[in-house]
Amino acid sequence: MQTPDDVQGIQSIELGGSVLRALINANGDTLPLRDVAQVAGMSASKARRYLLSFARIGLVSQEAATGYYGLGPLAIRLGLAAIAAIAVDRLAPPVIRELRRRLQETVVLTIWSDNGPIILQAEDSQLAVMINARIGSTLPMLGSATGRLFAAFFDPDATRPRITEELSRVAKGPALRQAQHDFDLRLDEVRRHGAARTEGELLNGVSAMAAPVFDHTGSLIAGLGVLGHRGILDVSWTGTPCTELKRSAAALSELCGYTPPK
């Protein structure tokens, strides 16, 4: 099967894409012709011809007062249609398989449910000794890397009751307040490193890491996780598993429309 790179396209359309990207990267601001041309890497006269053609079909609009250019109504409709077509469960499988191939460990995709975070997709390790992740399994907030990830980045109105319920099972009175304080410190660590980790807290002998997947609004929509045997899976913040996991989660976030803050 041929890929898009194998088939000859229309070069002028591909060049015009750099003009549209200049307007997209303006984050809602309008740009003068010289700025569009500079960002697109072409002369002002050439950029202007592209802008005029795009304006005729609605991809670009021009302010009457300033002459500055911005995205037009057709571009907005395209964006909304793309957002409507986004489904993390559809976009995730190639990312999960590639991460599993690179790490040779079990990789899971988790989402939030009424019962807390659950495993939506899983690719088991092909090593001789595997750690099976059951699709549909609910994960705890306190003892799982995924739970801590959602506690750190997801809607607190949704996560707080689950956290409170689990804390109340393990501590009472002053001990409960201390447990809440300790868990808050863990969440600060998760936010600081952009990932969560556990070493044997949920399952004896099993370590795990999880990284966030965001959508176009910057909201957490899923967690990408890796599971491995304790002492074999490197869960250090600078280790290869954490680096690869965060890179894959960022790639999946981009597919879901997320733009990281500058």
Side-chain angles (χ1 to χ4, degrees):
M1 181 180 294
Q2 288 181 312
T3 66
D5 290 337
D6 298 326
V7 182
Q8 185 176 2
I10 302 174
Q11 187 179 23
S12 61
I13 292 179
E14 295 172 9
L15 290 173
S18 63
V19 173
L20 292 175
R21 279 191 291 273
L23 299 177
I24 292 170
N25 292 336
N27 293 321
D29 292 335
T30 54
L31 298 176
L33 174 60
R34 65 177 182 276
D35 289 356
V36 175
Q38 182 179 10
V39 174
M42 61 180 65
S43 67
S45 59
K46 187 174 184 179
R48 184 173 181 274
R49 291 197 296 272
Y50 278 111
L51 289 166
L52 288 175
S53 293
F54 286 143
R56 287 171 184 156
I57 61 173
L59 282 173
V60 168
S61 62
Q62 186 178 21
E63 291 181 339
T66 64
Y68 287 9
Y69 295 91
L71 294 174
L74 180 57
I76 295 170
R77 289 175 60 193
L78 282 171
L80 293 173
I83 290 170
I86 288 172
V88 67
D89 60 322
R90 177 177 59 84
L91 298 171
V95 177
I96 293 174
R97 287 192 293 269
E98 177 60 19
L99 182 59
R100 194 277 308 271
R101 185 190 67 81
R102 292 201 301 269
L103 295 182
Q104 290 298 301
E105 300 285 3
T106 296
V107 177
V108 298
L109 180 77
T110 56
I111 60 170
W112 184 261
S113 74
D114 290 341
N115 296 320
I118 62 170
I119 297 176
L120 180 66
Q121 296 178 12
E123 285 282 340
D124 290 328
S125 168
Q126 294 180 331
L127 299 175
V129 180
M130 297 186 299
I131 297 173
N132 290 316
R134 291 171 48 194
I135 294 175
S137 297
T138 302
L139 301 171
M141 302 299 297
L142 304 186
S144 70
T146 293
R148 295 174 185 176
L149 185 80
F150 276 89
F153 293 108
F154 199 61
D155 179 7
D157 289 337
T159 60
R160 191 179 298 111
R162 295 285 168 190
I163 297 170
T164 301
E165 179 185 353
E166 292 185 27
L167 285 171
S168 64
R169 293 197 215 118
V170 299
K172 304 292 182 184
L176 178 58
R177 290 191 292 272
Q178 183 61 47
Q180 179 66 66
H181 174 72
D182 293 342
F183 189 63
D184 288 340
L185 292 179
R186 287 186 181 276
L187 299 187
D188 288 341
E189 182 182 53
V190 172
R191 297 183 187 101
R192 188 165 63 251
H193 291 284
R197 64 182 180 184
T198 55
E199 293 186 87
E201 287 97 323
L202 179 59
L203 294 173
N204 187 33
V206 176
S207 294
M209 301 197 82
V213 177
F214 300 108
D215 67 4
H216 66 285
T217 67
S219 300
L220 182 72
I221 56 170
L224 192 62
V226 59
L227 310 175
H229 290 281
R230 187 175 184 182
I232 297 177
L233 177 65
D234 178 7
V235 294
S236 64
W237 298 123
T238 57
T240 297
C242 186
T243 301
E244 293 289 346
L245 177 64
K246 289 168 67 175
R247 181 182 294 123
S248 296
L252 184 53
S253 296
E254 184 177 358
L255 291 174
C256 292
Y258 176 65
T259 301
K262 295 183 179 179

